[in-house]
Amino acid sequence: MKKGIKILYYMTVLISALVGVWHFFVPWMFQWYDYLPMQYENLIVGIDYTNYCFSLLLFGLSTMLIVLGKRALAINREVIYFYFFLTVVWMFRACLASFIEPWPLKPIPAAAIGQLIASDILAVMMIIVSASFIKELRRE
C-alpha cells in the first residue's frame, strides 16, 4: 500500500472520530435548545438520543478503524468493508450538505459553508482510499 494512501486512511478515520467526539457537545455549543419551546421536552430528548447515538456510532466505528488500520492496509477484506461503510456514511453526509440546504444560513453562514466544504473534502478523501482498496482487492 502506498504511503500516501496510508496517510489518507489514518487522516480520514481520525477526522471522523474527532467529529464523533465533537458531536457529543454540539447541542450545548450552539444552544440548540434556545430555538425550541421548552414545552416540547419529548422533542429535546429525541434530539439528544439521536445525537448521542450518532456520535457514539461515528466515534466507535472510526476508533475501531484506527485500531484495525494495519489490517485494513494489509487488505483484510472484513476491515475494509467497515471502511467502505464509513465512506458511504460520509458520502451521504456530503450529499445532504451539497444538494439540500447544508445548515440554516442564519445566524452563522460560515458554519453552514464550513460544514459543506469539510464534509465534501472528507468524502472525497475517503473515496480515494476506498478506490485504492478496491483496486488492491481486485488484484487478489
Side-chain angles (χ1 to χ4, degrees):
M1 192 64 25
K2 295 178 184 174
K3 188 173 184 173
I5 295 298
K6 289 179 183 181
I7 292 169
L8 260 183
Y9 172 86
Y10 282 110
M11 276 179 49
T12 57
V13 292
L14 180 62
I15 291 168
S16 184
L18 291 174
V19 169
V21 169
W22 175 74
H23 239 281
F24 277 110
F25 306 102
V26 166
W28 294 277
M29 289 170 49
F30 296 101
Q31 291 102 25
W32 280 3
Y33 309 117
D34 292 350
Y35 304 104
L36 300 172
M38 290 316 288
Q39 66 263 26
Y40 295 116
E41 189 173 332
N42 289 344
L43 181 59
I44 292 171
V45 171
I47 290 170
D48 280 345
Y49 286 4
T50 302
N51 190 58
Y52 292 147
C53 289
F54 169 75
S55 302
L56 183 62
L57 289 170
L58 185 59
F59 174 74
L61 180 58
S62 301
T63 303
M64 183 180 72
L65 287 168
I66 290 169
V67 171
L68 298 173
K70 287 184 181 182
R71 288 185 184 180
L73 296 168
I75 313 302
N76 180 299
R77 195 174 285 270
E78 289 79 14
V79 178
I80 289 173
Y81 291 153
F82 282 107
Y83 189 82
F84 289 162
F85 177 73
L86 187 63
T87 301
V88 169
V89 168
W90 278 104
M91 286 171 48
F92 182 73
R93 170 62 175 92
C95 287
L96 286 176
S98 298
F99 303 117
I100 299 175
E101 187 175 359
W103 192 261
L105 293 176
K106 295 177 185 176
I108 309 170
I113 295 165
Q115 286 187 44
L116 167 71
I117 293 168
S119 63
D120 286 351
I121 289 172
L122 185 59
V124 168
M125 290 188 325
M126 293 186 89
I127 290 168
I128 292 168
V129 174
S130 292
S132 176
F133 282 153
I134 290 169
K135 183 178 170 185
E136 290 294 324
L137 286 170
R138 286 186 178 166
R139 284 186 189 169
E140 291 183 358

